[in-house]
């Protein structure tokens, strides 16, 4: 897939809470085709401690409005700078990068999308793509508390939403792998993104039940094109760059001890 370097204009920055910001971008000309699960490398201007680009998952693409959405967790100098952008600012982006989720072969497959924290970001656009092809996805979203849940209303536009919170303030109490839906319903395919322990637990559930499962890894990345080698992951086919061969992998190809 062809890659583009674009000076994109900030349409809006929505501060979901003190930690998370949703950045909406547009550009002159139509946005390039992007797959669910791909990401963008953004240049952070104005941060004296941020020298390398930052990888941000593609949260949503609205081709009618020509708007790309990026969900950012403001946890470091670079991401805090991104969250401080304003309407009319310019953000230099390299996109689209990596490989996305493997879509079902037919619309009859039952797909579960599991996310935790900022890991929910790539699942929203994935849900939209699945709905467009006739699937009815189910989202299983986890957070520490109700205040940490992200974009729940948006997810509800594209499928049924199940929620867990560690403190029980919304949905079922516990982790995503404790949700009752996993014992009540059968799924053909699972996509997951979030903290590695969560993804490993989801992968264990999937493998125990013979379910195809893909995980979106969040290794540290810098170049986004497989040149700097800082995102290398061990797989059954040798060491690969997550930014180029991933970030989405079938769990059968990973060497995780699950």
């Amino acid at each position: 897939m062809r890659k583009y370097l674009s000076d994109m204009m900030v349409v809006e920055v929505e501060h979901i809470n003190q930690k998370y910001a949703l950045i909406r971008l547009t550009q002159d000309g139509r946005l390039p085709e992007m797959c669910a699960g791909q990401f963008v490398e953004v240049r952070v201007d104005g941060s004296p401690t941020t020298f390398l680009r930052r990888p941000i998952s593609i949260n949503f693409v609205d081709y009618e409005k020509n708007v790309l959405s990026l969900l950012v967790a403001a946890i470091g100098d670079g991401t805090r700078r991104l969250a401080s952008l304003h309407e009319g600012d310019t953000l230099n982006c390299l996109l689209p990068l990596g490989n996305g989720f493997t879509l079902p072969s037919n619309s009859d497959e039952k797909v579960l999308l599991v996310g935790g924290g900022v890991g929910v970001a790539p699942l929203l656009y994935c849900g939209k793509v699945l709905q467009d092809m006739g699937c009815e996805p189910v989202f299983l979203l986890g957070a520490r508390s109700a205040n940490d849940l992200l974009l729940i209303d948006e997810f509800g536009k594209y499928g049924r939403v199940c929620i867990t919170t560690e403190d029980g303030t919304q949905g079922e109490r516990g982790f995503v792998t404790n949700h009752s839906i996993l014992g009540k319903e059968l799924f053909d395919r699972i996509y997951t993104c979030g903290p590695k322990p969560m993804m490993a637990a989801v992968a264990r559930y999937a493998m125990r039940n013979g379910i195809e499962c893909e995980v979106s890894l969040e290794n540290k990345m810098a170049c986004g094109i497989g040149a700097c080698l800082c995102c290398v992951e061990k797989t059954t086919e040798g060491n690969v760059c997550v930014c180029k061969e991933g970030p989405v992998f079938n769990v059968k190809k990973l060497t995780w001890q699950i």
Side-chain angles (χ1 to χ4, degrees), residues 43-103:
R43 190 181 71 206
V44 183
D45 297 326
S47 172
T49 61
T50 307
F51 305 105
L52 303 173
R53 289 179 179 267
R54 289 292 182 264
I56 308 292
S57 295
I58 292 171
N59 174 242
F60 199 77
V61 186
D62 186 333
Y63 286 107
E64 290 185 4
K65 297 181 179 178
N66 207 46
V67 170
L68 165 68
S69 298
L70 305 178
L71 181 63
V72 174
I75 55 178
D77 290 341
T79 48
R80 283 196 295 267
R81 171 62 186 169
L82 293 175
S84 70
L85 290 168
H86 297 92
E87 179 182 348
D89 286 344
T90 297
L91 186 63
N92 184 267
C93 300
L94 178 62
L95 76 163
L97 299 172
N99 298 301
F101 296 104
T102 304
L103 296 178

Side-chain angles (χ1 to χ4, degrees), residues 20 57 71 114-123 150 192-195 198 216 218:
Y20 295 98
S57 295
L71 181 63
V114 186
V118 75
V120 304
L123 302 184
L150 302 169
T192 184
C193 184
M198 184 208 79
S216 179
E218 297 182 320

